[in-house]
Amino acid sequence: MMSAVYRELVILSGAFSFGALLGAIFFAGLLATVSRVPESKHPYLILILSFVVRISIVMIGLYWIGVDEWERLLAALAGLIVVRILLMRIYGRPEKLTNPSYESQDD
């Protein structure tokens, strides 16, 4: 009985890690896109293609991991969201990144 619980815990941990990997790929692609846009001749094309590729990778990955098990899908989504939260803590709020004159509301 306990081995089934541990087996499911290992599977859900793997799904969480896979979701975190998908999140890392998605946000690394976003960072690469945003850094290339200012010097690009066709910024809209780069933004649209990057979006389609990043969303396709994430959607295919989430479908693959959670095709028959909603628990695995939920664990993978949690991993993706945790990566986003961690990156927000590391790099700060978007207003802070895009607006150099932004002053924190916390002061």
Side-chain angles (χ1 to χ4, degrees):
M1 179 77 173
M2 289 299 278
S3 65
V5 172
Y6 289 130
R7 181 181 174 273
E8 191 63 28
L9 183 62
V10 168
I11 290 171
L12 291 178
S13 297
F16 180 87
S17 299
F18 184 73
L21 176 66
L22 287 175
I25 291 169
F26 182 87
F27 292 111
L30 179 61
L31 181 63
T33 300
V34 170
S35 64
R36 287 185 185 156
V37 166
E39 64 249 3
S40 173
K41 292 180 183 178
H42 307 286
Y44 295 115
L45 182 63
I46 289 176
L47 287 171
I48 290 170
L49 287 176
S50 171
F51 176 75
V52 168
V53 169
R54 287 182 291 117
I55 288 294
S56 297
I57 290 169
V58 169
M59 294 303 289
I60 289 168
L62 289 176
Y63 177 77
W64 180 75
I65 198 75
V67 68
D68 288 330
E69 301 284 335
W70 66 269
E71 296 92 350
R72 293 178 191 174
L73 177 63
L74 192 62
L77 282 172
L80 195 141
I81 291 169
V82 165
V83 167
R84 182 191 181 274
I85 291 170
L86 289 174
L87 290 174
M88 289 295 293
R89 287 186 182 258
I90 292 170
Y91 290 108
R93 297 173 58 173
E95 296 89 5
K96 197 181 211 179
L97 293 173
T98 58
N99 186 0
S101 64
Y102 173 78
E103 292 183 21
S104 177
Q105 302 295 329
D106 299 333
D107 294 335

